[in-house]
Amino acid sequence: MTISYSDTFLKLLFRWKGSLWKAIWKHLLIFLTMYYIINAYYRFGMTKEQQNEFIKYVMLVDGWTKEIPLTFLLGFYVAMIVRRWWDCCQLISWPDHLLYNVSALIRGQDPETRIIRKTIARYTILTSVLAWRSISLRVLARYPTDDHLVDSGLMTKEEMVMFKSILVHVDPHQKWWVPLNWIQTMMVRCFEKGTLTHTNELRVLLDALEKYRNGFFQLFIYDWIAIPLVYTQVSTISVYGYFLFALIGRQYPSKNENEEIVDVYVPIFTILQFLFYVGWLKVGEDLMFPFGADDEDFEFNYILERNLEVSMLIVDELHNQVPPVYVESLDDEIRLLHTSASSKLSNHPQRQHLRKLKFNVDAMQVQAVPGNHLNERDVSVSTTSKLSFADLENLANGPRNIPKF
């Protein structure tokens, strides 16, 4: 089997969903329409004297475009947004760590213990829905009201009555942490009843619960505190201002540095600049708010479905499950096999850069430090430790270069 990386590259290059082309095609169409309107007016609507005067303004405005530090402004702006976007991605709360500890420490196959574990798993998913529907358009569209939570089975009617009885005056919609408080109470009661046999077990569960809660809280901070509007405006105005000047400054016919008339009907380099700079700006705009419903926004609905399925497996079906182990398994041979495709791939094992360095016998002689009154049998610091690495190398094998890989 032959893997064609060029085909993969071409598929990515011309893919429409989430692509550069989808992001900027409308802007590019507007820019080219305005460009050719001006160009057509120059060619067919101006006299010869007006055309010569117009070329002077083309040269002048083209020089103005070089005064805008577009690369610096966009580079810093987009780098900050991408770092913020990745931080948000890292803060998505996954219940696996918490529920692994629940399954390991709250043990038992009796109905009551199983209900406790499954209820804790359900509360973790309920917390995700309550928290994420405050910031994610996808989750809000899926669970717009509390009644949808009851219909889906994430919350019982009794729990809904208790949930609605809790009054939060500062922000009535931010009660996502209530199910986490229910989980904490269940853990404490398991310790009081003896299901958890030691305070360290309770501590492990509470620490895992706090880590799970902290992810939601940090996401709320990122959703609340946005990048300063002034910086966004500066970057946006600089990009669109640049290409507003380019409508005049990149008109053809124009003059080159040798004052020669150059007539190009399609501004190839200007179009490439438009793809680069406006596409760069669109990257920042799309990643600034990754909780919407665009192609590259976080797929919270998929995460919810995955977390629900995995959570129930961890706390119930996989609880206390392990394959049978026999004595004969000690004699089983394990071999790492290759397929025809994997054997043809390049392999670069770890190699230390000093693996070939060998010292000769004279360089490895231990010498006493002058002026130190120690017995000859005592081990002292070698004088070679005072030499530089290059000196040690010369003593060992003579002057040579460090092997390169």
Side-chain angles (χ1 to χ4, degrees):
M1 182 182 67
T2 303
I3 301 175
S4 177
Y5 293 102
S6 60
D7 293 343
T8 303
F9 173 76
L10 290 176
K11 289 179 181 179
L12 291 175
L13 182 62
F14 294 106
R15 190 178 69 175
W16 179 255
K17 182 179 179 180
S19 66
L20 170 67
W21 325 113
K22 183 179 179 180
I24 71 168
W25 74 270
K26 294 180 181 178
H27 300 77
L28 181 59
L29 181 62
I30 294 173
F31 175 79
L32 291 178
T33 300
M34 297 174 65
Y35 177 89
Y36 281 111
I37 289 175
I38 298 174
N39 190 269
Y41 181 70
Y42 163 81
R43 295 179 185 276
F44 307 110
M46 293 184 182
T47 62
K48 189 64 176 178
E49 293 77 11
Q50 290 173 333
Q51 288 179 348
N52 293 333
E53 191 71 19
F54 180 75
I55 290 177
K56 296 179 183 179
Y57 285 100
V58 168
M59 300 296 292
L60 176 64
V61 175
D62 187 48
W64 290 350
T65 60
K66 297 179 176 61
E67 301 298 325
I68 302 177
L70 199 57
T71 304
F72 171 76
L73 290 173
L74 273 180
F76 188 76
Y77 175 68
V78 175
M80 180 170 55
I81 290 179
V82 170
R83 183 170 60 251
R84 172 190 174 91
W85 171 81
W86 182 245
D87 289 342
C88 291
C89 182
Q90 295 291 92
L91 290 172
I92 296 177
S93 295
W94 305 83
D96 302 39
H97 175 69
L98 170 62
L99 296 180
Y100 278 134
N101 286 284
V102 169
S103 181
L105 299 177
I106 304 179
R107 307 189 61 78
Q109 290 290 357
D110 58 284
E112 181 182 1
T113 307
R114 290 183 61 194
I115 290 174
I116 290 174
R117 290 197 302 267
K118 294 183 70 173
T119 302
I120 291 176
R122 178 167 60 86
Y123 285 166
T124 60
I125 307 303
L126 176 60
T127 302
S128 300
V129 173
L130 292 173
W132 288 342
R133 74 177 183 179
S134 298
I135 61 176
S136 172
L137 181 59
R138 297 177 190 267
V139 182
L140 179 60
R142 190 171 186 177
Y143 298 97
T145 66
D146 292 339
D147 293 334
H148 288 81
L149 301 175
V150 177
D151 295 337
S152 65
L154 288 174
M155 184 181 289
T156 65
K157 293 182 179 179
E158 292 78 8
E159 292 167 349
M160 177 61 68
V161 173
M162 184 181 299
F163 183 77
K164 289 186 175 181
S165 66
I166 300 172
L167 301 179
V168 179
H169 299 288
V170 176
D171 192 349
H173 301 287
Q174 297 299 324
K175 294 193 292 185
W176 58 271
W177 43 266
V178 172
L180 297 180
N181 189 75
W182 294 344
I183 294 175
Q184 177 181 273
T185 303
M186 294 177 68
M187 290 176 177
V188 173
R189 290 185 178 179
C190 285
F191 174 72
E192 294 172 346
K193 191 178 66 171
T195 306
L196 299 175
T197 59
H198 198 278
T199 55
N200 287 341
E201 296 180 350
L202 178 61
R203 182 73 268 165
V204 168
L205 292 179
L206 293 179
D207 288 344
L209 182 64
E210 169 59 24
K211 183 178 180 181
Y212 185 66
R213 183 205 67 86
N214 189 60
F216 298 111
F217 181 76
Q218 293 295 330
L219 271 185
F220 281 126
I221 297 298
Y222 274 99
D223 180 66
W224 178 31
I225 307 297
I227 291 178
L229 179 61
V230 174
Y231 199 9
T232 302
Q233 291 174 335
V234 168
S235 301
T236 304
I237 292 173
S238 64
V239 171
Y240 290 111
Y242 179 90
F243 287 102
L244 185 63
F245 287 124
L247 288 173
I248 303 297
R250 301 299 171 80
Q251 285 291 332
Y252 294 94
S254 181
K255 292 184 179 180
N256 60 16
E257 296 178 353
N258 298 324
E259 297 298 320
E260 298 172 340
I261 296 295
V262 180
D263 194 354
V264 179
Y265 289 90
V266 180
I268 300 296
F269 187 72
T270 303
I271 293 176
L272 288 177
Q273 280 189 316
F274 194 92
L275 294 176
F276 299 152
Y277 291 139
V278 178
W280 209 357
L281 180 65
K282 287 298 177 182
V283 168
E285 293 178 355
D286 292 343
L287 298 185
M288 183 183 298
F289 183 74
F291 309 118
D294 295 334
D295 293 338
E296 299 301 327
D297 289 336
F298 297 153
E299 295 284 351
F300 279 115
N301 282 330
Y302 161 77
I303 296 174
L304 285 174
E305 293 174 358
R306 178 264 175 201
N307 286 350
L308 177 61
E309 182 178 14
V310 172
S311 297
M312 293 304 172
L313 286 173
I314 291 174
V315 300
D316 194 38
E317 294 184 35
L318 297 180
H319 175 72
N320 206 31
Q321 182 187 111
V322 65
V325 179
Y326 300 101
V327 177
E328 288 81 359
S329 64
L330 294 175
D331 300 326
D332 291 344
E333 182 182 1
I334 301 175
R335 292 184 301 165
L336 300 179
L337 303 178
H338 269 292
T339 64
S340 299
S342 66
S343 63
K344 297 177 182 179
L345 299 177
S346 60
N347 188 24
H348 304 283
Q350 180 185 11
R351 295 176 180 176
Q352 291 75 24
H353 70 283
L354 294 179
R355 72 185 188 279
K356 294 182 179 180
L357 183 61
K358 303 294 182 183
F359 290 98
N360 58 37
V361 177
D362 295 336
M364 292 188 292
Q365 293 296 325
V366 178
Q367 301 180 7
V369 178
N372 192 350
H373 303 288
L374 296 175
N375 293 330
E376 294 182 358
R377 298 175 63 182
D378 294 337
V379 179
S380 60
V381 180
S382 174
T383 56
T384 58
S385 62
K386 299 181 179 180
L387 300 177
S388 66
F389 181 78
D391 294 334
L392 288 173
E393 213 178 4
N394 293 336
L395 284 174
N397 298 323
R400 66 181 182 86
N401 295 327
I402 297 296
K404 300 181 178 178
F405 310 101

